[in-house]
Amino acid sequence: MKNEYEPVIGLETHVELYTNTKMFCGCRLSFGEEKNIYTCPVCLGHPGSLPVINKKAIEYAVKIALALNCKIKKYTIFHRKNYFYPDMPKNYQISQYDLPLGVGGYLDVDIGGYIRRVWITRVHMEEDTGKLLHKGTTGRISESEASIVDFNRAGTPLIEIVTEPDIRSPEEAREYMIVLRNLILFLDVSDCSMEEGSLRCDANVSVRKTGEDKIGTKTEIKNLNSFKFLQKGLEYEVKRQIKVLEAGDEVIQQTRHYDSKTGTTKALRFKEEAHDYRYFPEPDLVPIYIEDKMIEDIRKTIPELPSVKAKRFEKQYSLPKYDSNFLANNKDLSDYFEQCCRHYNNAKNIANWIMGDFSALLNKEKMIIKDSRVTPENLCKMLEIIDKGKINSKIAKSVFEEMFSTGGNPQKIIEDRGLEQISDEGLLEAIIEEVIKDNPGAVEQFKEGKDKAIDFLIGRVMAKTKGKANPGIVNDIITKKLS
Amino acid sequence: MAVLRGNLMERISKDDVKHVAKLAELEFSEKDIEKITSQLDRILEHVANISSVNTEGITPTSHILDIKNVFRDDMAEQSVTQESALKNAPDEANDGFKVPKID
Amino acid sequence: MEIHYLTAHQLKDILEKKQISCTEIVESVYLRIEEVGDRLNSYIRLEKESALSRAGEVDKLISAGSDIEDFMGMPIAIKDNICTKNITTTCASRILENYIPIYNATVIDRLESRNYILAGKANMDEFAMGSSNENSYFGTVKNPWDTDRVPGGSSGGPAVCVAAGEAVCSLGSDTGGSIRQPASLCGVVGFKPTYGMVSRYGLVAFASSLDQIGPLTRDVEDCAAMLNIICGYDRKDSTSINVEVPDYKSFLKADIKDMRIGVPKELMVEGIDREVKEAVYRIIKLVEDMGGIVEEISLPSLEYALSVYYIIAPSEASSNLSRFDGVRYGYRNVEARTLREMYRRSRAEGFGDEVKRRIMIGTYCLSAGYYDAYYEKAQRVRTLVINDFKKAFEKFDVLISPTSPTTAFKIGEKMEDPLTMYLSDICTIPVNLAGLPAISIPAGLSGSKLPIGLQIIGNVLREDNVLKVAYSLEKAIGFTGRPGL
Ligand SMILES: [Mg+2]
Ligand SMILES: [Zn+2]
């Protein structure tokens, strides 16, 4: 009965930009240092202080809007969004209302098998709030007897990205966020860390009988602060709403909080004052006219975006779609990959190593490829050595591990550890003779036609040569000798 | 619905006043509500005379000056010390502004 | 004549002649404050000690041969809604009773760079909301010409300080007439510059799109000199105009021959005292005698200016005053057990009645369902007011009108009826809506020996015309009256 329903999901994403200074004052952005050390009359909302717009923040916002295929409004202004909350220094947030910076964009999300085009309603600029720390045992707002406000974060430039309700499943929501995050990382305007809260996401969810086109009553889910929680929270909420409807009840429009401990969503115990934000044009700021020149200059700073890059990789390096996407979605990996391609011509080999052993080690060490000690040159040297048959893949693994930990040159590692593959037939003949002598049983079986036996014999030869013997040649010699 | 008091003589009610007080985080005694309701009603009734003005095709002025694109460069300036940030705090605890239980 | 009644430029002259020291000037002013202060209540806070020590330093500078600039060593009163670093700035409100700014307003930095001396923080209507200076948490300010009467507002304190010799001059703020109307009622000069000419940084906001700082002085020459100091671009205020600042003193020429002067008939109609009208007509005669061309003109939209103002100003105020919540600074009710209770009780106990009234009006006008009908509609009508002035200034160099429809009224007279109180600004409000420069100069005394003020309005950035006409008329009128106390 569940699949009679389809979820209708829209996402509101907040992205903290990493400019040097705040949106409306010269205070530095803070990264969880001491409380209230990056503040001034403006971001503390002191009487008489006035905001002045950070140009860089506008440029970053335009960059994001363009990358999301938005139309940039030539004329845009800030509004005041009025409501009282202790993390808001002025008890209004300088935000945008009916004249947002960007409108009508989209983001294509590849959901293994099909593409979901998620339309972007608006991209607008605003200022972040301070941070509330809740005193008391649980650190939960509902149980704390008092709260502490830290205004270091207050005034940090924020971009809000609002989608149409185009998302049809929690998985799609998760994929959308991953693609959006990669995109913004490519733009180099935010570190997009969900742990640090520089990328935050709220969801509007409703469900409806599949086939219907009117949208049901929605709830807003907050605190979905990881890809996993986003999906889990939405899955729970969708199930919950279906249960409600199935029971013949109605979904109540409300804001709900996702609790990652229980994996459930709870209606906020006290809902903020019936929303009446009393938006009006911010009289302390003047309008912004974004000239075409500015748009074009900013467009030039936008690098090749993941989707485009992936297609190019498929064509230019004739990589499989999977590999292309895997590499293209990660700026560092794709940069590294292309550097390698300059030194070595078998792109698929490079891709395999980057996606395989290399990524495995990186994950294990919680490192990013930029910081690894393996230079593209050395990786390529190693691949050439393998191609020349100087080492086999098994040895290569251990060589690579040493390159990874020491940053050493593969040729040198191989020489120092004498790992070069033995292809000298004379040398191998002698060893093979011994093996045949020592393993009559296996020899018998081979003669009776049990092919398995030869693998055993080769294994013995390998063991004797510490894996350095060239398996191909060993195979030939044994077969020759025993037939 | 944006009803103009000038048009339909909609009076502001005590409940309106209570609702607005909530939005503004103000509180009034019952007897003050009476008083302020009638005062607001009188003022709003007077200002509602603008409803009779024809503003067809007239754009609202939120800025007298046609200044545009006033920006700062993204250069850090000296913040104030934690001490001066907290100097005026009515209540303070571990380097932050302390507020009562949030309801 | 007593030192405390001299103008800044007169004092500068005798300073240069070494006939007096800054210390003597400051002492004489404080002597005067001790003499009349209690009767007038024009200061919220005095800075006597620091003023005297600053005076000493300035005297050293002078004897060390540094040349004497305008207002160097002059004791000046600052309206208490202009932030002074480390000196309490209360806005005459309980909610800021103990608020100590952590920074200086830009105008204060500019004055300090000229070695001015802060005499004290002047009393005012709470958050500059009022026309009688009866809305101060620190008590009503009295008019020196008749202490049973109001000095006008909201810059009542700054006007009285100048009128009664308690400061050489003062800075006030003008949102709907708050400099010009009290200047008129106290018989001094008050100037509201073009919106954007003086930085608002550090002026505690009442209505951001209307507020402007300006000087109150004993004559037009001091006014021009003060404009030279406070006017000019400030990158901390996004609404400040980035233009070359002229030497305002260069406009002090007693010559209005062939200048075209309009008299808006909407500002000469009902509600204006007979005596006030007569004063204006006398001046019109003077102007014509001096070769100026005077004509009546109609600005029909002015009929709605008061309504527009009492929608826009409270709306912006309701938002500007949200920050007073007892969290980061200011008064907090300490019994409150929850946040919302703390907000409501702190604000209910911290704000006075008029402030609460305007917050309520503004919140209502911005709230869902009413925004279009009130706030946005008002912004549209505001455009019409601006257009009317634009048209008028195609034809005229300046417009003149009464500053206030009446002379100083009795304390308490209008307190029970906010709306009649609001009507006191009927002549000054349109000027703020259009962001124009305007001055009020003394036009003479009424039969009951109360000052009458004349308002001279110029086009945007045409301070030159305003000053020229003001200077010429000041000479022609020759007002020398002093309050009898
Ligand atoms: Mg937002
Ligand atoms: Zn700051």
Side-chain angles (χ1 to χ4, degrees):
Chain A
M1 89 160 43
K2 183 178 191 306
N3 51 17
E4 288 173 22
Y5 291 90
E6 83 174 337
V8 177
I9 300 167
L11 296 178
E12 270 181 34
T13 309
H14 286 90
V15 184
E16 278 184 353
L17 303 178
Y18 51 41
T19 45
N20 296 325
T21 65
K22 295 185 177 182
M23 185 76 211
F24 299 114
C25 65
C27 291
R28 284 204 169 67
L29 305 192
S30 69
F31 303 95
E33 292 101 322
E34 246 184 290
K35 296 190 207 76
N36 295 298
I37 56 171
Y38 294 123
T39 66
C40 72
V42 177
C43 57
L44 285 171
H46 269 244
S49 65
L50 295 170
V52 184
I53 300 167
N54 180 342
K55 185 150 197 272
K56 184 56 107 243
I58 302 289
E59 289 166 358
Y60 282 4
V62 171
K63 202 170 174 183
I64 290 176
L66 286 173
L68 288 168
N69 311 294
C70 288
K71 288 169 226 54
I72 304 295
K73 289 247 184 181
K74 294 257 164 303
Y75 171 85
T76 178
I77 67 171
F78 283 97
H79 272 69
R80 289 186 185 178
K81 181 183 185 182
N82 295 282
Y83 65 99
F84 284 77
Y85 211 66
D87 61 7
M88 285 219 304
K90 308 180 289 300
N91 286 319
Y92 58 80
Q93 179 191 35
I94 304 180
S95 182
Q96 296 197 280
Y97 183 50
D98 55 359
L99 289 167
L101 180 83
V103 294
Y106 62 84
L107 182 61
D108 284 332
V109 183
D110 186 335
I111 322 226
Y114 66 100
I115 302 278
R116 167 74 67 196
R117 173 160 292 189
V118 179
W119 286 95
I120 307 293
T121 317
R122 56 189 282 140
V123 171
H124 81 238
M125 300 172 282
E126 58 188 31
E127 55 178 340
D128 207 346
T129 62
K131 278 195 181 139
L132 280 170
L133 302 104
H134 304 300
K135 302 187 70 182
T137 49
T138 62
R140 288 238 197 84
I141 185 169
S142 46
E143 285 118 25
S144 57
E145 81 288 348
S147 300
I148 300 296
V149 200
D150 170 12
F151 289 102
N152 280 344
R153 194 183 68 179
T156 300
L158 270 190
I159 300 303
E160 182 174 324
I161 301 164
V162 182
T163 76
E164 294 290 316
D166 288 343
I167 297 165
R168 286 292 168 273
S169 74
E171 301 71 27
E172 288 185 8
R174 181 173 183 280
E175 284 309 310
Y176 164 85
M177 276 304 280
I178 291 172
V179 174
L180 180 65
R181 180 171 181 274
N182 287 332
L183 179 75
I184 294 169
L185 285 173
F186 265 79
L187 299 177
D188 191 25
V189 295
S190 168
D191 59 13
C192 290
S193 148
M194 289 186 107
E195 304 71 46
E196 302 301 319
S198 54
L199 180 67
R200 311 197 285 268
C201 173
D202 303 335
N204 292 309
V205 198
S206 64
V207 297
R208 65 181 173 198
K209 280 257 163 55
T210 11
E212 280 181 10
D213 41 11
K214 79 172 225 341
I215 293 176
T217 314
K218 65 179 200 299
T219 58
E220 187 182 3
I221 314 300
K222 295 200 171 291
N223 195 41
L224 299 165
N225 48 24
S226 79
F227 296 123
K228 181 154 154 284
F229 295 160
L230 173 61
Q231 182 164 354
K232 291 261 163 300
L234 288 175
E235 279 165 355
Y236 174 88
E237 180 60 14
V238 167
K239 283 204 200 70
R240 188 191 69 86
Q241 288 191 17
I242 291 172
K243 254 206 225 81
V244 170
L245 295 178
E246 284 297 299
D249 299 333
E250 286 189 341
V251 173
I252 310 153
Q253 174 146 16
Q254 60 189 178
T255 305
R256 300 176 66 87
H257 186 91
Y258 176 67
D259 178 348
S260 53
K261 290 186 198 63
T262 62
T264 61
T265 66
K266 287 195 195 60
L268 292 179
R269 210 181 90 250
F270 31 77
K271 59 176 198 55
E272 314 88 278
E273 204 46 68
H275 288 311
D276 184 347
Y277 291 130
R278 288 157 286 135
Y279 281 98
F280 74 103
E282 166 58 280
D284 289 330
L285 294 172
V286 297
I288 299 172
Y289 290 83
I290 297 174
E291 286 93 3
D292 298 350
K293 171 88 170 58
M294 181 180 181
I295 296 179
E296 285 327 306
D297 292 350
I298 292 169
R299 204 187 291 279
K300 289 196 198 81
T301 68
I302 297 179
E304 181 183 35
L305 297 177
S307 50
V308 183
K309 197 185 279 284
K311 291 204 180 46
R312 181 167 63 83
F313 282 9
E314 279 186 66
K315 288 243 314 289
Q316 183 175 345
Y317 304 109
S318 44
L319 287 182
K321 193 167 194 293
Y322 176 85
D323 300 32
S324 306
N325 288 328
F326 186 99
L327 295 171
N329 277 326
N330 179 312
K331 190 165 188 316
D332 300 336
L333 289 188
S334 52
D335 290 349
Y336 191 94
F337 167 75
E338 294 215 85
Q339 285 167 33
C340 292
C341 289
R342 278 190 229 110
H343 303 284
Y344 178 75
N345 56 16
N346 185 337
K348 178 57 181 159
N349 269 354
I350 301 171
N352 289 345
W353 273 91
I354 293 179
M355 293 161 59
D357 299 65
F358 205 160
S359 293
L361 283 173
L362 289 170
N363 297 337
K364 186 155 145 286
E365 304 298 325
K366 304 217 175 339
M367 279 169 68
I368 59 169
I369 199 159
K370 266 192 298 189
D371 308 341
S372 96
R373 310 177 64 175
V374 181
T375 65
E377 292 77 0
N378 280 340
L379 177 59
C380 294
K381 274 207 198 75
M382 185 190 79
L383 294 178
E384 280 158 7
I385 294 167
I386 299 172
D387 291 349
K388 293 213 188 76
K390 289 212 176 112
I391 55 172
N392 60 48
S393 52
K394 204 152 157 300
I395 300 279
K397 269 185 187 302
S398 80
V399 172
F400 182 79
E401 276 164 22
E402 182 164 343
M403 289 164 66
F404 188 87
S405 51
T406 65
N409 164 316
Q411 189 56 52
K412 195 162 177 316
I413 295 172
I414 291 165
E415 284 159 11
D416 295 355
R417 286 172 43 189
L419 293 173
E420 183 138 355
Q421 193 158 245
I422 306 167
S423 309
D424 173 329
E425 310 219 349
L427 228 167
L428 289 175
E429 292 250 358
I431 301 165
I432 291 169
E433 285 300 338
E434 271 178 52
V435 171
I436 292 178
K437 208 151 83 314
D438 302 350
N439 299 281
V443 175
E444 271 317 303
Q445 290 177 342
F446 179 76
K447 291 194 165 139
E448 288 158 19
K450 293 213 180 61
D451 298 351
K452 283 253 177 331
I454 194 163
D455 301 336
F456 172 79
L457 292 170
I458 295 172
R460 300 307 305 141
V461 176
M462 285 311 215
K464 278 186 175 300
T465 57
K466 303 198 183 54
K468 290 189 288 178
N470 180 324
I473 298 171
V474 172
N475 191 321
D476 299 347
I477 298 175
I478 296 179
T479 351
K480 217 168 345 95
K481 285 189 170 298
L482 297 182
S483 43
Chain B
M1 29 75 259
V3 223
L4 232 205
R5 304 160 51 83
N7 302 346
L8 356 159
M9 288 301 288
E10 177 197 325
R11 323 292 302 192
I12 183 167
S13 70
K14 278 169 64 178
D15 288 346
D16 295 338
V17 172
K18 285 178 184 165
H19 170 68
V20 172
K22 241 185 160 65
L23 288 176
E25 296 292 1
L26 288 171
E27 65 184 8
F28 298 94
S29 68
E30 267 308 316
K31 123 176 177 311
D32 289 351
I33 289 274
E34 292 281 354
K35 187 164 163 221
I36 193 159
T37 303
S38 65
Q39 286 173 332
L40 293 196
D41 192 59
R42 182 131 183 273
I43 295 161
L44 289 167
E45 194 180 336
H46 176 93
V47 300
N49 68 353
I50 61 168
S51 64
S52 61
V53 183
N54 174 5
T55 50
E56 274 304 304
I58 302 296
T59 51
T61 296
S62 37
H63 268 285
I64 307 114
L65 320 158
D66 53 5
I67 301 179
K68 60 176 163 62
N69 293 2
V70 176
F71 303 125
R72 329 180 339 258
D73 292 334
D74 188 22
M75 309 262 232
E77 282 158 39
Q78 193 46 255
S79 293
V80 301
T81 63
Q82 187 186 59
E83 188 198 1
S84 31
L86 293 164
K87 175 176 177 176
N88 284 281
D91 192 4
E92 171 192 340
N94 35 40
D95 304 338
F97 298 85
K98 190 175 174 198
V99 296
K101 181 181 179 52
I102 295 174
D103 57 340
Chain C
M1 158 178 245
E2 310 95 319
I3 295 164
H4 59 255
Y5 271 138
L6 296 181
T7 63
H9 58 88
Q10 288 167 331
L11 289 165
K12 184 178 171 215
D13 293 344
I14 56 175
L15 261 179
E16 275 161 347
K17 300 201 186 74
K18 303 253 187 292
Q19 293 166 353
I20 195 170
S21 71
C22 292
T23 310
E24 288 169 296
I25 295 171
V26 173
E27 276 165 349
S28 70
V29 164
Y30 276 99
L31 223 60
R32 177 62 173 174
I33 293 171
E34 276 144 36
E35 181 185 1
V36 297
D38 299 347
R39 277 178 284 166
L40 300 176
N41 192 33
S42 51
Y43 279 103
I44 288 173
R45 178 190 181 88
L46 290 169
E47 283 296 313
K48 186 172 181 180
E49 269 171 43
S50 61
L52 283 167
S53 67
R54 286 290 296 123
E57 291 163 27
V58 175
D59 283 328
K60 281 200 199 71
L61 282 176
I62 294 172
S63 51
S66 94
D67 43 14
I68 299 165
E69 294 171 324
D70 292 338
F71 301 105
M72 182 175 184
M74 297 297 147
I76 297 175
I78 302 295
K79 191 178 183 179
D80 209 21
N81 61 347
I82 297 174
C83 287
T84 43
K85 190 173 183 179
N86 298 330
I87 296 168
T88 48
T89 298
T90 69
C91 294
S93 180
R94 181 185 187 191
I95 212 159
L96 287 181
E97 185 174 6
N98 302 311
Y99 172 66
I100 300 167
I102 56 177
Y103 74 106
N104 266 340
T106 296
V107 287
I108 297 300
D109 284 338
R110 282 168 167 265
L111 282 170
E112 281 185 355
S113 71
R114 301 302 195 89
N115 291 302
Y116 94 121
I117 290 173
L118 174 65
K121 302 301 294 287
N123 205 343
M124 57 186 280
D125 279 302
E126 184 179 6
F127 285 103
M129 296 176 185
S131 311
S132 66
N133 218 137
E134 292 165 286
N135 305 324
S136 169
Y137 178 65
F138 301 96
T140 301
V141 178
K142 314 286 172 42
N143 189 315
W145 294 83
D146 175 351
T147 51
D148 295 335
R149 293 177 182 274
V150 304
S154 66
S155 309
V160 171
C161 290
V162 177
E166 296 179 292
V168 174
C169 64
S170 62
L171 287 188
S173 68
D174 190 316
T175 305
S178 283
I179 288 173
R180 291 157 289 156
Q181 185 256 13
S184 166
L185 269 50
C186 294
V188 300
V189 173
F191 196 104
K192 174 216 160 307
T194 299
Y195 181 85
M197 274 316 287
V198 181
S199 171
R200 292 184 296 115
Y201 191 77
L203 168 66
V204 181
F206 161 13
S208 313
S209 74
L210 302 166
D211 296 340
Q212 193 65 179
I213 292 173
L216 294 97
T217 57
R218 294 201 181 105
D219 69 3
V220 177
E221 184 173 342
D222 276 2
C223 176
M226 183 54 86
L227 290 178
N228 278 347
I229 295 175
I230 63 174
C231 289
Y233 177 69
D234 177 16
R235 58 180 193 79
K236 295 208 214 74
D237 176 359
S238 305
T239 63
S240 103
I241 310 176
N242 196 349
V243 291
E244 192 61 43
V245 181
D247 172 10
Y248 293 101
K249 286 203 281 185
S250 68
F251 307 130
L252 302 173
K253 299 195 194 67
D255 170 23
I256 55 172
K257 192 160 184 332
D258 301 329
M259 282 187 83
R260 300 155 308 161
I261 291 150
V263 183
K265 70 173 203 285
E266 289 76 9
L267 301 182
M268 290 290 279
V269 288
E270 29 73 63
I272 313 280
D273 280 0
R274 185 182 43 76
E275 278 191 295
V276 172
K277 275 190 196 164
E278 285 168 1
V280 175
Y281 289 128
R282 274 201 302 279
I283 286 165
I284 290 173
K285 182 84 180 57
L286 271 175
V287 172
E288 285 167 337
D289 297 345
M290 299 162 75
I293 304 133
V294 186
E295 268 176 56
E296 189 180 69
I297 177 188
S298 171
L299 291 77
S301 63
L302 293 197
E303 182 187 346
Y304 302 100
L306 190 76
S307 299
V308 171
Y309 177 85
Y310 276 98
I311 291 169
I312 291 173
S315 296
E316 292 182 2
S318 69
S319 175
N320 285 331
L321 272 60
S322 301
R323 69 188 60 195
F324 303 105
D325 60 2
V327 174
R328 282 144 291 114
Y329 46 75
Y331 172 78
R332 171 190 290 197
N333 173 298
V334 292
E335 286 93 51
R337 274 166 286 80
T338 70
L339 177 74
R340 298 283 154 188
E341 188 188 357
M342 188 277 279
Y343 279 162
R344 289 178 187 158
R345 292 178 63 182
S346 302
R347 288 164 62 81
E349 294 159 16
F351 289 134
D353 290 346
E354 181 59 23
V355 171
K356 283 185 247 181
R357 202 147 42 222
R358 298 208 195 183
I359 291 174
M360 292 292 287
I361 296 169
T363 306
Y364 180 84
C365 290
L366 289 175
S367 65
Y370 296 99
Y371 178 86
D372 296 357
Y374 286 99
Y375 189 76
E376 207 200 50
K377 181 75 176 182
Q379 294 284 49
R380 291 182 195 278
V381 180
R382 181 180 189 176
T383 307
L384 296 177
V385 172
I386 293 168
N387 294 344
D388 278 359
F389 275 113
K390 280 204 182 111
K391 259 199 242 82
F393 284 113
E394 286 166 10
K395 196 155 181 286
F396 298 102
D397 300 309
V398 297
L399 307 174
I400 61 171
S401 78
T403 306
S404 163
T406 68
T407 54
F409 45 92
K410 281 254 182 337
I411 290 169
E413 189 181 322
K414 299 181 178 178
M415 276 310 266
E416 273 323 294
D417 183 359
L419 197 52
T420 44
M421 182 70 86
Y422 295 172
L423 288 164
S424 330
D425 294 327
I426 191 92
C427 301
T428 46
I429 276 172
V431 173
N432 299 77
L433 293 179
L436 306 171
I439 195 171
S440 178
I441 60 169
L445 292 178
S446 71
S448 43
K449 295 276 165 288
L450 291 172
I452 296 169
L454 175 81
Q455 174 171 242
I456 304 161
I457 307 166
N459 200 355
V460 170
L461 291 174
R462 295 313 301 270
E463 274 80 3
D464 56 343
N465 285 337
V466 175
L467 288 169
K468 209 186 286 171
V469 173
Y471 187 73
S472 311
L473 290 177
E474 179 184 56
K475 295 274 164 292
I477 296 164
F479 177 82
T480 55
R482 294 280 173 234
L485 93 172

